[in-house]
Amino acid sequence: MNLNILVVEDEDAIREMLVMVLEQANFRVIEAASAELALSVLAENRVDLLLLDWMLPGITGVELARRLKKDASYKDLPIILLTARGEEEDKIRGLEIGADDYVTKPFSPKELQARIKAVMRRSGKLTELGQLTVGDLTLDAEQHRLTIAGKTVDVSPTEFRLMQFFMTNPDKVYSRTHLLDQVWGRSVYIEERTVDVHIRRLRKLLAEFGREELIQTVRGFGYRFSMAE
Ligand code: CA
């Protein structure tokens, strides 16, 4: 789905289990063992949802959630708190500081996946399972279909993955190398100009809908997908 979840949990066994469960649900997972590490991950990566343990050494999960919700750059980042506590008071406190949901340990993988998808849908990151909508563009991962204003765009599998990457990572500039890693995979050896070839084809397809400006060239650096003119 190309959605990144940052898992913040100090206990290795639980963190590894969470990573496994989330990867099974086709999310990409970044791990951090403390709130301090989570902050540096957030500064350098695009994160679509934060799965945050309540009990952490140093800055606690609740404290981190409180700080992020007050920070203009992170206030829209969905946060799910993981708690071992079942007390009503703690749940209320978690939601009061702005967490979007909480999951009480122990939980089943299905419950966790369902909660995450519900929060992703509420925050507009997922419209339905496997569907991603940005403006009037919809990407259906299951049917491998891209539509603009309801009309199907005839994209190849590579161009589909490229659009999927762009639509989940809008408004940021990516180098050709980064796009190769993310869309083609690190293990494949392809020349950087292959990216240009696919971008050109994609723009041609978008041009049929008058939308070629969705993919912008940032001279000397790479490409950016943006709905803004
Ligand atoms: Ca913990």
Side-chain angles (χ1 to χ4, degrees), residues 6-157:
L6 172 58
V7 173
V8 191
E9 162 67 89
D10 57 311
E11 288 157 76
D12 295 345
I14 299 176
R15 200 179 56 247
E16 281 159 23
M17 184 269 285
L18 290 168
V19 170
M20 202 181 73
V21 167
L22 299 177
E23 284 181 348
Q24 274 170 1
N26 288 321
F27 290 110
R28 287 206 301 231
V29 189
I30 311 174
E31 302 172 52
S34 70
E36 289 82 350
L37 285 169
L39 284 168
S40 50
V41 169
L42 284 168
E44 286 171 14
N45 296 270
R46 187 195 147 81
V47 172
D48 297 294
L49 183 140
L50 189 61
L51 186 59
L52 181 58
D53 189 39
W54 183 292
M55 297 296 285
L56 293 169
I59 302 172
T60 65
V62 171
E63 176 57 20
L64 178 63
R66 203 180 56 79
R67 285 192 201 178
L68 292 174
K69 288 295 178 183
K70 279 186 175 173
D71 187 323
S73 332
Y74 300 114
K75 66 177 173 43
D76 296 326
L77 173 68
I79 298 176
I80 296 180
L81 275 171
L82 271 177
T83 171
R85 313 165 174 210
E87 292 95 18
E88 205 54 32
E89 205 177 301
D90 287 336
K91 292 175 184 172
I92 293 165
R93 207 178 133 211
L95 296 175
E96 261 175 10
I97 54 137
D100 297 83
D101 202 356
Y102 58 86
V103 174
T104 308
K105 294 179 199 170
F107 47 83
S108 74
K110 278 212 166 98
E111 183 195 355
L112 181 67
Q113 291 168 355
R115 293 287 187 107
I116 286 174
K117 283 174 182 168
V119 169
M120 291 272 200
R121 274 195 294 274
R122 282 210 299 273
S123 64
K125 297 196 182 274
L126 269 180
T127 46
E128 283 171 42
L129 288 191
Q131 270 199 15
L132 172 74
T133 299
V134 180
D136 59 353
L137 275 72
T138 300
L139 206 92
D140 189 316
E142 270 163 32
Q143 296 182 37
H144 245 254
R145 194 157 68 159
L146 171 69
T147 58
I148 297 180
K151 293 192 185 102
T152 302
V153 186
D154 193 16
V155 286
S156 72

Side-chain angles (χ1 to χ4, degrees), residues 184-212:
W184 280 263
R186 276 168 208 272
S187 52
V188 185
Y189 178 77
I190 297 171
E191 288 180 52
E192 288 193 2
R193 64 189 164 84
T194 306
V195 176
D196 301 327
V197 171
H198 283 276
I199 295 269
R200 213 176 303 138
R201 281 193 209 154
L202 202 46
R203 274 195 185 133
K204 214 171 158 188
L205 290 169
L206 294 172
E208 291 171 21
F209 296 80
R211 307 300 291 278
E212 65 273 27

